[in-house]
Amino acid sequence: MNSKDLFERCLHVAPGGVHSPVRAFKSVGGNPLFFARGEGAYLYSVEGERYIDFCQSFGPNILGHRDPDVEKVLLETVELGWCFGACEPYSLELAEYIRQHLHWVHKIRFVCSGTEAVMSALRVARAATNRPYVLKFDGCYHGHADSMLVKAGSGLAGEASSDSAGVGHAIAQQTLVCPLDDEAALEKIFKAHPGKIAALIVEPMPANYGLLLQRPEFIQKACDLARADGALVIFDEVISGFRVAFGGMTERLGIEPDLVTYGKIIGGGLAVGAYAGKSLLMDQVAPAGPVYQAGTLSANPLAMRTGLATLKKLKSANVHAALDSRTLEFTHSLKTIVAKKGFDVVSMGSVFWIHPKVTKPLRSLGDLPAGMGDLYRKLFHALLKNGIYLAPSGYEVGFLSLAHTPEILGDALSRFEEALREF
């Protein structure tokens, strides 16, 4: 069994041979690797090769693959039941734990993905405000709901156009789009659509087009403009929630949203999402209110119990402090290594991004340097050859986990050096 043969078989049964586009290696070239198992900081390919994994399933595995404490809970839960489609105590325990530690979460609804969480939060916002438009930012990704697959258009302030086939013009027009890090453009959009914007949605740590760290002043200005106009503020913390701090960027910034979306970490590596916020808004959701949203697999026991085990370990093992320290030390050394080939590293918490060196901070799509794809393609394959697995796209970020011990990170730095000698 090898990856090349498996991919050729997959091409006959799945679109592009994959079940999520970035897995196809389209942006880096070559055939995707197939992995048979993961453990701690490592992934093991079907060929039997071991790789230090800095993708960590695009973020959920903050404790690493198959953390033994979480695995124990998962195996216990398998014997209790997988999916009930009925009320159970496990989602209650997770919801109470989250609300206990995040005071801006009054009520929460569990779903099965970040996309579903965002889609539902936007529906709540429109219902609560009785307004037609949603405002998003170019450079923030909020899943593949139709109204979020849009890009900046031309003409009127904030005008959007479809960013995917199958998204109709009328749907695209319900979303307004603003550049990141541009207060003037933001003010112009609110002036052009007074009293019409239901919500402003933003990744407070944009991490899907690279790590575009925002000035806190810009996030605060965006929230102030929204609230002055009567619009709600939605923080998309699917990536940053429980990752850059237990309370995510909401905690780091000290700015509280009206609604917030989560995913990734709260399932402990299983499929999960959630939207949460103030009771007045969340009580709009059925069966308490008129906003319909449902899901057969929502709050399934496996994801609820592994999620709670993960969050409890984040607290008991002081994981965020350990990861912050390790990431700072790792990225400081990594900067020196990659600088020799014209790259730089930026980080927030345990999230990092390698990008071509530039003269100013990268905060918006317009700041991204030309030729990023070609440079990253070479880097990716050089690292892969030397046992390092990063996400197969130069616009995806990397993640450290608790399983990335100082010894493993030291080994990773040596592998980076070796790869760049061959670059």
Side-chain angles (χ1 to χ4, degrees), residues 44-119:
Y44 296 81
S45 71
V46 294
E47 291 85 1
E49 298 294 327
R50 187 177 76 170
Y51 297 84
I52 301 175
D53 177 24
F54 287 110
C55 183
Q56 290 294 324
S57 193
F58 294 91
N61 300 334
I62 193 169
L63 302 177
H65 294 280
R66 293 180 55 211
D67 175 79
D69 296 318
V70 177
E71 184 175 56
K72 179 182 177 183
V73 171
L74 176 59
L75 294 176
E76 290 172 353
T77 310
V78 166
E79 297 183 355
L80 298 174
W82 306 345
C83 181
F84 299 157
C87 294
E88 33 60 48
Y90 311 120
S91 58
L92 169 62
E93 292 169 1
L94 179 57
E96 286 181 336
Y97 191 81
I98 291 173
R99 193 177 72 162
Q100 174 189 347
H101 292 284
L102 306 183
H103 61 266
W104 53 89
V105 171
H106 299 172
K107 292 188 177 180
I108 187 168
R109 169 64 65 87
F110 294 112
V111 291
C112 292
S113 70
T115 290
E116 194 180 346
V118 167
M119 178 183 72

Side-chain angles (χ1 to χ4, degrees), residues 337 340 383 412-422:
I337 294 169
K340 301 168 187 175
L383 291 171
L413 290 171
S414 297
R415 292 171 184 267
F416 267 94
E417 286 191 297
E418 181 63 29
L420 287 171
R421 276 197 289 269
E422 305 167 6

Side-chain angles (χ1 to χ4, degrees), residues 32-46:
L33 277 179
F34 279 60
F35 294 105
R37 66 185 182 95
E39 185 172 357
Y42 298 103
L43 280 173
Y44 296 81
S45 71
V46 294

Side-chain angles (χ1 to χ4, degrees), residues 201-236:
I201 183 167
V202 64
E203 284 183 284
M205 184 194 78
N208 279 285
Y209 292 87
L211 189 57
L212 304 177
L213 298 179
Q214 298 300 294
R215 294 175 293 115
E217 296 83 4
F218 175 71
I219 300 295
Q220 184 66 67
K221 178 71 171 180
C223 295
D224 290 345
L225 285 170
R227 286 173 169 147
D229 185 65
L232 301 180
V233 172
I234 303 174
F235 277 2
D236 182 345

Side-chain angles (χ1 to χ4, degrees), residues 136-160:
K136 74 176 291 285
F137 293 89
D138 243 353
C140 289
Y141 176 71
H142 304 291
H144 60 270
D146 282 6
S147 64
M148 293 291 98
L149 285 179
V150 297
K151 58 186 176 183
S154 59
L156 297 175
E159 184 180 82

